[in-house]
């Protein structure tokens, strides 16, 4: 099995970088990634120093998938996400939209937690279940070079908790080879990523990358054993929610034989949502697969 170690840290989803790994469709690989703080926080005494590294969410890649061409899509199944150094970290620093109610005198709040036995040790008295996910995964667009801060039709910084082991992430291919990047692993994260930091960790992710020839998609999709999800980003979040729902309806129409208006009606009653980083308005809309049996 090929392994891609941490190397140059990329803060953009760029087609201009030399591929660091070339794989065949269907290949399973291990990808190491640095944490969202670029490795600056390892102890509670450490501080995120933006004068040294102002950018966040470094990515490992790009990965070239043989045969991938514009108009195809990638199906990336996450097999496992393991902590590289047995710990994760988070911090408080800027309450942002909450300042209206909480004030602005927010301490830095560096907080490092050990990970073992399937638990994140928040304190001597409190543990959080280890539920890893990738905050960032995406392909390189053919126009422009998005950073690792927003999400978009290429994927990117979605911060959706369902980007996790056991699920498959579908991403559009815009350029030959696909140019897949990933990083920003979290040991756990709540909906909304309130402080703009999950429980960030350097990680090794085992993934299988398959190629869907001629399967053009309009943005990221996620499939779990029990659910289908579409993702959209934008502010106000109401618009992103509407876009994600529309994309889910069109997916049901194209691949599952649903009349779009019948699907619209059904989703009104059975759909749910998952919220990524609230400040950039990322939303995944979801339907359980058990509802797909009756497409009338």
């Amino acid at each position: 099995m090929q392994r891609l170690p941490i190397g140059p840290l990329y803060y953009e989803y760029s087609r201009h970088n030399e591929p660091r790994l070339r794989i065949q469709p269907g290949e399973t690989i291990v990808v190491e990634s640095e944490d969202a703080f670029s490795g600056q926080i390892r102890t509670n005494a450490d501080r995120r120093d933006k004068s040294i590294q102002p950018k966040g969410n470094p990515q490992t890649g790009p990965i070239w998938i043989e045969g991938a061409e514009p108009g195809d899509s990638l199906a990336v199944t996450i097999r496992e996400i393991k902590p590289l150094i047995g710990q994760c970290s988070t911090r408080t620093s800027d309450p942002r939209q909450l300042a209206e109610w909480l004030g602005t005198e927010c301490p830095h709040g560096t907080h490092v937690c050990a990970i073992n036995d399937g638990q994140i040790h928040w304190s001597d008295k409190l543990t959080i279940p280890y539920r890893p996910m990738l905050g960032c995964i995406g392909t390189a667009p053919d126009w422009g070079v998005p950073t690792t801060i927003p999400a978009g039709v290429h994927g990117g910084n979605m911060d959706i908790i369902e980007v996790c082991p056991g699920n498959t992430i579908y991403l559009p291919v815009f350029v030959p080879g696909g140019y897949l990047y990933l990083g920003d692993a979290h040991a756990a994260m709540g909906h909304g990523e309130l402080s703009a930091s999950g429980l960030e960790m350097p990680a090794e992710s085992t993934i299988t990358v398959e190629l869907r020839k001629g399967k053009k998609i309009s943005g990221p999709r996620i499939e779990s054993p029990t659910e289908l999800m579409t993702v959209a980003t934008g502010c106000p979040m109401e618009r992103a929610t509407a876009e994600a729902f529309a994309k889910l309806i069109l997916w049901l129409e194209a691949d599952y034989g649903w009349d779009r208006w019948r699907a619209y009606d059904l989703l009104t009653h059975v759909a749910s949502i998952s919220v990524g980083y609230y400040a950039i308005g990322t939303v995944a809309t979801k339907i359980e697969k058990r509802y797909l049996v009756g497409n009338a």
Side-chain angles (χ1 to χ4, degrees):
M1 185 185 303
Q2 295 195 80
R3 175 182 287 267
L4 181 58
I6 296 174
L9 300 181
Y10 291 117
Y11 298 86
E12 298 174 323
Y13 293 91
S14 174
R15 63 195 177 279
H16 302 300
N17 296 320
E18 184 68 23
R20 291 192 57 223
L21 186 68
R22 293 176 180 261
I23 66 172
Q24 296 295 326
E27 193 169 342
T28 298
I29 60 175
V30 177
V31 182
E32 297 180 3
S33 59
E34 186 51 273
D35 68 20
F37 305 130
S38 301
Q40 289 187 331
I41 298 177
R42 293 293 193 252
T43 74
N44 287 334
D46 293 335
R47 294 292 179 264
R48 173 79 169 91
D49 188 344
K50 292 187 177 181
S51 67
I52 296 174
Q53 179 48 265
K55 302 168 185 174
N57 299 329
Q59 302 293 286
T60 297
I63 300 166
W64 174 285
I65 297 86
E66 295 294 343
E69 299 173 315
D72 298 337
S73 58
L74 302 181
V76 183
T77 300
I78 302 174
R79 305 294 181 187
E80 187 177 29
I81 302 174
K82 296 165 59 177
L84 267 180
I85 61 173
Q87 67 180 42
C88 56
S89 59
T90 188
R91 72 180 187 123
T92 54
S93 58
D94 181 356
R96 300 175 185 255
Q97 286 94 327
L98 280 70
E100 179 181 347
W101 302 277
L102 303 183
T104 59
E105 300 302 315
C106 181
H108 188 280
T110 299
H111 190 179
V112 176
C113 307
I115 306 169
N116 54 59
D117 299 324
Q119 298 291 319
I120 301 159
H121 294 267
W122 178 265
S123 68
D124 292 339
K125 297 181 179 179
L126 191 152
T127 60
I128 298 172
Y130 178 69
R131 292 177 179 156
M133 46 81 72
L134 292 175
C136 296
I137 185 169
T139 53
D142 59 350
W143 182 260
V145 182
T147 73
T148 56
I149 297 304
V153 296
H154 65 292
N157 185 30
M158 296 183 285
D159 282 321
I160 293 292
I161 62 173
E162 288 84 1
V163 181
C164 65
N167 291 357
T168 298
I169 320 306
Y170 299 98
L171 297 165
V173 172
F174 302 101
V175 297
Y179 280 71
L180 176 68
Y181 296 79
L182 64 83
D184 185 28
H186 301 173
M189 190 192 81
H191 287 272
E193 197 182 23
L194 189 59
S195 72
S197 299
L199 285 161
E200 312 286 350
M201 65 177 185
E204 64 169 44
S205 301
T206 302
I207 61 173
T208 301
V209 185
E210 297 179 278
L211 180 62
R212 300 286 189 262
K213 292 297 297 180
K215 183 64 175 179
K216 188 174 183 178
I217 59 176
S218 59
R221 297 174 174 178
I222 305 170
E223 182 173 0
S224 78
T226 60
E227 294 178 310
L228 300 179
M229 301 162 242
T230 47
V231 182
T233 297
C235 292
M237 189 179 288
E238 295 92 334
R239 178 171 173 80
T241 303
E243 179 184 346
F245 269 127
K247 289 180 175 180
L248 184 54
I249 289 167
L250 294 174
W251 187 7
L252 297 184
E253 181 180 64
D255 288 7
Y256 294 92
W258 276 80
D259 173 83
R260 65 179 59 182
W261 302 116
R262 194 68 165 169
Y264 171 49
D265 188 9
L266 177 67
L267 287 172
T268 301
H269 313 298
V270 303
S272 59
I273 66 172
S274 180
V275 179
Y277 180 34
Y278 78 101
I280 61 174
T282 303
V283 177
T285 53
K286 311 196 290 184
I287 184 172
E288 294 181 41
K289 289 181 180 178
R290 64 189 178 97
Y291 291 116
L292 303 181
V293 296
N295 58 350

